């Protein structure tokens, strides 16, 4: 029976080849949409690492000729900027609606701003996202530590740069060892190149994760550096010791975050901007509740997927209708053949089964070829994200997407041949044999 | 003969309504997607008000400044253009303006967010805005740092009832007097687009004047088409001669690239997935290759689907073909007949797709996803649509027609296929 089936299919290889190609392409289209869906669903359930309830972000724009020179090469500018930031925090502390405040460079959750860096170790490089934050950042955003501690004034006099890293980065750097209080083993070449790191970098705390790009984003490596705003005079403190960059190796803060008291309404925004503006009339402030930014960002993930999902849905509908037509016609043309089989004693169910089995055979060829092609994707480490350093989806996401796509494709092709298979057996064998 | 084919194919198409319907469904959906994409690209790139002189206009691409191990991106400063783009040979006008940036205004406790562009006076001479009220600000007013603003229609409705000229409003803690009101410009037209335009001298601080990098753009009106590549080359040459001490970080950076491009080239360069922004040469071909391959990939599945349906339809008509062959019809005639039949089918599908795309485009306009967008179908887009339908019809008709022409008359008459 199987050999008979194979021979029949082979005999009509011209058209079957095109049908297989059509099924293969449908499989790939479905897979592409499912890969993103499954990946988003997979990421959704993972720990986020912060809580944005009642958190507002205040982006600051200050006049500077250009960020690199003004800040790196001009200690007076650094001192002036850090004084201005301290004044802003002073103004924030007088507002009764503000519970806590902190500053960050370059990013707070959902801001869509990422600073990636490669940490040069001996013999390898570890890519991580890095964020500079002030001492109260963990309180504002409800960051919980798994081990160790957050930054504090105690680090002022330390002979090393304190960093807090996430679990994934800790594992990549130190394996199973306890990361707290370990020095990151940066290579000499790397330290030479980044003179800001002439102090050794020490891990003081570990967090579960900090997925600043939101619920749908891929979990990756994350590192917090301590951002300091306490340079009083040129040549003292941190800035005096470091030959190049200030603010702990980063630019000055680009965004402030505050946690407002419960019951604070949107109307407070105007008061907030006015009091900041009073301190820094030549600066601009862009206030937004982080929850609103979250909505926007989730939409930025969902909208393209919904668009491609809709297009893919219509493409599949088109394929289902097309294949139904093709099989219908082919079954009609083979009425004589089926009549002969019935006359030789095959039951109605046998004939139907033959038609469905032919379809399953074609689908299997398409799905096998498709799976073989798609299996190359995880090997290519294609990252599927605008951030090229983001890790690719884990292999199980690929596997699940392939399995679901295959199941749906089998279902659809069987659906396409179900109605024609009923038609084929409606005619009596005797009638079918002289059917023209 | 052609008329005969047309009548025949209409008869055939009406005889098998199910096949015709599924074919038209596939074709119209495919063309709908292509038409919407075409209309959006047309709205983004075609010459239209206020960019009526677009064919003679060059716009600077976001400056890239980089060295062997580090790079910084995205934006030329005021001085880059004020010092290096003046008096380029063949340039009639030069305008400097900032990128649109969001600013906020609070009116009666209500927050209004607006896109503001700070420009010079030349901006209004190169671009051709439709003024509903008042006039643009002049170069003199820019030099005096007058706190005047041109606003668009929607912003007028947000701040004022009735006419706005002469009234003042506050935004980002600065108070401006409305001097003119213009028609809304789509967000997709990124050169003219903004809600509020103000003189760049009204910036909160004048530190922008010293920057080689920053958030400024420049636009040049060429005296004639031949001068355009000359302008481009001369500016690139000036930048390559620039003293490295001018760079924000002379230690790290060695090269600055900020080429003046046409609309199409600027768009290609702005897509950093496909463009090499550090290459001062034109990037348009990459856009053509990328969009072309995307379109081809997209039509692959619908084409194969249609080929399969067509092949089935032809085999069904084997006896008809057999008779025609037996009576001496050449393969060429049969192929021609079938391709015409298929083109009629795709044209019908194309028209349905075109009608549907009108609804989709209107829905996008209404949704406000793209501020002030005016996506629509014009003669040009309509023409592209018909061309696409024609190409689709020919491509999906060739293989089945070839299969048909190979049918052996005797086999065909018996309703079979020669293996």
């Amino acid at each position: 029976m199987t050999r008979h089936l194979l021979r029949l299919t082979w005999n009509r290889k011209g058209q079957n080849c095109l049908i297989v190609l059509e099924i293969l392409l449908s499989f790939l289209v479905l897979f592409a949409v499912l890969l993103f869906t499954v990946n988003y669903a997979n990421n959704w359930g993972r720990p986020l690492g912060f809580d944005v309830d009642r958190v507002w972000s205040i982006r600051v724009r200050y006049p500077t000729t250009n960020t690199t020179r003004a800040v790196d090469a001009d200690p007076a500018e650094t001192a002036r900027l850090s004084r201005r930031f301290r004044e802003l925090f002073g103004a924030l502390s007088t507002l009764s609606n503000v519970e806590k405040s902190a500053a960050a460079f370059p990013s707070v959750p959902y801001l869509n701003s990422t600073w990636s860096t490669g940490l040069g170790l001996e013999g390898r490089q570890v890519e991580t996202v890095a964020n500079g934050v002030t001492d109260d950042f963990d309180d504002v955003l409800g960051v919980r530590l798994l081990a160790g501690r957050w930054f504090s004034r105690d680090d002022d006099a330390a002979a090393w740069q304190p960093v807090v890293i996430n679990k994934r980065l800790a594992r990549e750097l130190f394996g199973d060892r306890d990361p707290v209080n370990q020095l990151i083993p940066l290579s000499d070449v790397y330290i030479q190149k980044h003179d800001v790191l002439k102090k050794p970098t020490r891990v003081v705390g570990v967090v579960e994760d900090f997925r600043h790009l939101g619920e749908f984003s891929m979990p990756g490596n994350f590192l917090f550096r301590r951002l300091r705003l306490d340079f009083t005079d040129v040549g003292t403190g941190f800035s005096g010791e470091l030959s190049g960059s200030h603010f702990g190796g980063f630019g000055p803060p680009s965004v402030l975050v505050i946690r407002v008291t419960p019951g604070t309404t949107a109307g407070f925004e105007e008061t907030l901007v006015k009091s900041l503006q009073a301190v820094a009339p030549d600066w601009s402030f862009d206030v937004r509740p982080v929850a609103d930014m979250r909505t926007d960002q989730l939409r930025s993930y969902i909208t393209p997927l919904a668009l491609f999902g809709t297009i893919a849905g219509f493409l599949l509908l088109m394929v289902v209708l097309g294949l139904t037509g093709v099989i219908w016609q082919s079954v009609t043309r083979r009425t004589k053949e089926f009549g002969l089989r019935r006359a030789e004693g095959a039951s109605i169910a046998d004939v139907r089964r033959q038609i469905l089995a032919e379809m399953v055979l074609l689908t299997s060829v398409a799905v096998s070829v498709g799976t073989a092609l798609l299996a190359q994707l995880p090997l290519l480490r294609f990252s599927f994200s605008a951030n090229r350093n983001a890790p690719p989806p884990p292999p199980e996401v690929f596997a699940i997407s392939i399995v679901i796509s295959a199941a749906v494709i089998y279902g659809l092709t069987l659906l396409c041949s179900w109605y024609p298979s009923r038609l084929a057996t409606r005619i009596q064998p005797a009638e079918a044999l002289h059917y023209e | 003969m052609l008329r005969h084919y047309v009548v025949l194919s209409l008869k055939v198409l009406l005889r098998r309504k199910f096949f015709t319907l599924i074919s038209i469904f596939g074709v119209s959906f495919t063309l709908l997607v292509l038409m919407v994409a075409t209309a959006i690209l047309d709205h983004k790139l075609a010459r239209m008000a206020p960019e009526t002189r677009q064919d003679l206009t060059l716009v600077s691409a976001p400056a890239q400044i980089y060295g062997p191990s580090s790079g910084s991106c995205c934006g030329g400063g005021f001085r880059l253009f004020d010092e290096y783009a003046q008096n380029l040979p063949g340039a009639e006008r030069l305008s400097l303006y900032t990128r649109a940036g969001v600013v906020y205004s609070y009116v009666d406790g209500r927050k209004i967010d607006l896109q503001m562009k700070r420009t010079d006076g030349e901006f209004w001479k190169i671009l051709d805005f439709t003024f509903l009220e008042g006039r643009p600000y002049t170069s003199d007013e820019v030099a005096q740092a007058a706190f005047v603003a041109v606003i668009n229609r929607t912003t007028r409705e947000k701040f004022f009832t009735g006419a706005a000229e002469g009234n003042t409003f506050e935004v980002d803690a600065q108070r401006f007097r409305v001097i003119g009101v213009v028609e809304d410009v789509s967000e997709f037209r990124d050169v003219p687009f903004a809600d509020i335009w103000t003189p760049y001298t009204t910036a909160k601080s004048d530190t922008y004047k010293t920057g080689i990098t920053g958030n400024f753009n420049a636009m040049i009106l060429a005296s004639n088409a031949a001068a355009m590549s000359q302008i481009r080359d001369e500016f690139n040459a000036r930048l390559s001669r620039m003293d490295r001490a001018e760079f924000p970080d002379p230690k790290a950076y060695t090269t600055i690239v900020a080429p003046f491009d046409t609309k199409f080239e600027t768009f290609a360069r702005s897509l950093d997935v496909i463009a090499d922004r550090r290459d001062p040469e034109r990037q348009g071909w990459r856009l053509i290759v990328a969009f072309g391959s995307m379109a081809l990939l997209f039509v692959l599945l619908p084409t194969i689907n249609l080929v399969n349906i067509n092949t089935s339809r032809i085999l069904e008509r084997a006896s008809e073909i057999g008779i025609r062959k037996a009576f001496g019809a050449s393969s060429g005639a049969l192929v021609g007949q079938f391709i015409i039949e298929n083109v009629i089918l795709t044209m019908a599908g194309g028209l349905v797709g075109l009608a549907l795309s009108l609804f989709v485009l209107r829905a996008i306009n209404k949704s406000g996803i793209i501020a002030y967008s005016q996506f629509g179908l014009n003669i040009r887009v309509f023409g592209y649509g018909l061309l696409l339908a024609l190409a689709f019809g020919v491509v999906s008709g060739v293989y089945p027609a070839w299969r048909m022409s190979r049918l052996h008359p005797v086999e065909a008459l018996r309703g079979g296929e020669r293996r």
Side-chain angles (χ1 to χ4, degrees), chain A residues 166-207:
Chain A
N166 70 346
K167 215 165 78 179
R168 177 186 283 260
L169 180 58
R171 190 167 306 126
E172 198 161 334
L173 289 173
F174 306 109
D176 291 332
R177 279 181 294 154
D178 179 14
V180 177
N181 285 326
Q182 298 269 9
L183 293 179
I184 296 184
L186 297 168
S187 69
D188 292 339
V189 184
Y190 183 79
I191 294 172
Q192 284 298 319
K193 216 165 82 185
H194 301 75
D195 45 10
V196 62
L197 293 169
K198 286 206 172 126
K199 279 183 169 185
T201 305
R202 188 185 289 272
V203 176
V204 297
V206 178
V207 296

Side-chain angles (χ1 to χ4, degrees), chain B residues 326-400:
Chain B
F327 278 90
S330 70
S331 290
L334 284 171
V335 168
Q337 179 195 341
F338 186 76
I339 289 183
I340 288 174
E341 194 177 306
N342 196 48
V343 165
I344 289 176
L345 186 72
T346 49
M347 283 292 182
L351 287 178
V352 176
L354 213 59
L356 289 177
S357 66
L358 265 180
F359 285 102
V360 172
L361 290 170
R362 204 168 292 168
I364 299 178
N365 287 341
K366 242 184 212 158
S367 72
I369 298 174
I370 293 133
Y372 318 127
S373 66
Q374 305 253 314
F375 299 129
L377 299 178
N378 49 34
I379 291 290
R380 201 170 39 239
V381 178
F382 186 77
Y384 287 139
L386 289 186
L387 267 181
L388 284 171
L390 185 70
F392 194 47
V394 171
V395 169
S396 63
V398 165
Y399 174 75

Side-chain angles (χ1 to χ4, degrees), chain A residues 15 18 21-22 61 63 65-66 69 269-270 273 277 283-284 286-287 314 317-318 321 325-326 329 436, chain B residues 19 22 25-26 29 102 104 106 111 172-173 204-205 207 210 213 248 301-302 304-305 308 312 316 399 414:
Chain A
Q15 187 165 11
L18 277 172
L21 190 59
E22 184 169 349
R61 266 173 294 166
T65 47
N66 56 62
R69 176 147 69 183
E269 205 179 304
E270 192 175 355
V273 172
Q277 207 83 67
W283 290 22
S284 293
D286 175 357
V287 179
F314 273 101
L317 178 61
M318 181 184 79
L321 289 173
V326 169
Q329 199 281 331
E436 200 59 53
Chain B
F19 275 99
I22 57 176
F25 170 76
F29 167 71
V102 67
Y104 297 97
Y106 296 91
K111 181 183 186 181
D172 200 19
K204 284 183 167 179
S205 148
T207 46
T210 54
T213 56
L301 185 51
I304 290 173
N305 185 53
N308 277 336
S312 289
E316 193 186 47
Y399 174 75
R414 283 174 46 201

Side-chain angles (χ1 to χ4, degrees), chain B residues 302-341:
Chain B
T303 308
I304 290 173
N305 185 53
L306 196 58
V307 166
N308 277 336
I309 296 173
N310 282 339
T311 314
S312 289
R313 276 200 311 144
I314 283 173
L315 293 180
E316 193 186 47
R317 287 160 64 192
S319 43
E320 174 201 330
I321 293 156
I323 291 170
R324 296 235 13 229
K325 277 207 160 172
F327 278 90
S330 70
S331 290
L334 284 171
V335 168
Q337 179 195 341
F338 186 76
I339 289 183
I340 288 174
E341 194 177 306

Side-chain angles (χ1 to χ4, degrees), chain B residues 10 68 88 107 122 130 135 140 147 168 185 203 216 223-225 232 241 262 313 339 366 395 407 413 418:
Chain B
L10 283 179
L88 286 164
V107 178
E122 290 290 291
T130 311
R135 57 169 181 89
D140 282 346
F147 276 77
T168 65
V185 178
F216 268 86
S223 50
N224 56 61
R232 205 189 130 81
R241 288 196 301 268
T262 59
R313 276 200 311 144
I339 289 183
K366 242 184 212 158
V395 169
L407 279 179
L413 272 172
R418 198 176 68 149

